[in-house]
Amino acid sequence: MEFQEVFAQLRQRTGLSQSEVAERLFVTRQAVSRWERGETIPEVETLQALSRLFGVSINTLLGSPRTLVCQSCGLPLNDDILAKNTDGSFNEQYCMWCWDGEGFAQDCTMEEMVEHCLPHMPLGRTDPEACRAYMRSLLPTLGRWKEN
């Protein structure tokens, strides 16, 4: 789905007119109309404001062009489990269980994260060694662990 389709659906779902969206974002109604027709896409700051207005991530607004993965535990992300920053904006890097708004929710080593994730994996109970091997190969590729 493209931005204009996502935007139109979200606007209609919230019951806001183009003029009401324009007023809340301090843009013209014509700008909102151009977004809906697919003529333009809002700038980054406006995408951030739309994200807050509709309660969805920028990735969702843009039609989910990227598959988001928690950069701490590797969990696939969607808007329901994305972490939020202290200002209420979505943090598209981490899940809500790994990021508490200001920093990492768990102060742990990579090996402790492997063990923490194991019970939550479907194969974790039946083939824990395979899951450990998978997590040990995955975690070093994620942002949190690359930095260390």
Side-chain angles (χ1 to χ4, degrees):
M1 207 181 309
E2 303 259 341
F3 169 78
Q4 69 266 19
E5 298 166 300
V6 173
F7 174 72
Q9 285 180 1
L10 290 168
R11 184 184 65 74
Q12 291 164 3
R13 188 180 311 148
T14 58
L16 295 172
S17 68
Q18 289 182 351
S19 295
E20 290 169 322
V21 171
E23 285 177 27
R24 291 183 185 201
L25 299 179
F26 305 104
V27 299
T28 65
R29 189 206 51 78
Q30 290 80 4
V32 174
S33 178
R34 286 193 300 271
W35 301 340
E36 250 179 59
R37 290 193 311 266
E39 294 174 8
T40 61
I41 294 177
E43 296 194 15
V44 173
E45 295 81 13
T46 306
L47 285 171
Q48 292 169 332
L50 285 167
S51 170
R52 287 188 297 276
L53 177 65
F54 295 131
V56 299
S57 67
I58 292 173
N59 192 57
T60 295
L61 279 171
L62 295 176
S64 300
R66 299 181 301 144
T67 300
L68 300 178
V69 176
C70 178
Q71 294 299 299
S72 178
C73 70
L75 183 69
L77 297 173
N78 62 49
D79 288 353
D80 294 334
I81 61 170
L82 275 175
K84 290 199 175 182
N85 295 311
T86 52
D87 67 2
S89 65
F90 283 102
N91 182 319
E92 296 187 25
Q93 298 294 308
Y94 301 105
C95 70
M96 60 193 224
W97 298 286
C98 288
W99 189 258
D100 67 9
E102 296 179 342
F104 294 112
Q106 318 89 3
D107 182 24
C108 61
T109 65
M110 196 180 314
E111 190 59 32
E112 289 168 333
M113 180 61 78
V114 167
E115 294 303 317
H116 174 77
C117 293
L118 200 63
H120 306 288
M121 298 175 71
L123 287 176
R125 291 178 200 89
T126 58
D127 195 351
E129 285 311 310
C131 289
R132 280 187 185 93
Y134 170 76
M135 291 301 292
R136 287 177 182 143
S137 67
L138 173 67
L139 292 183
T141 69
L142 302 175
R144 177 181 185 178
W145 308 106
K146 279 183 181 180
E147 298 165 5
N148 294 332

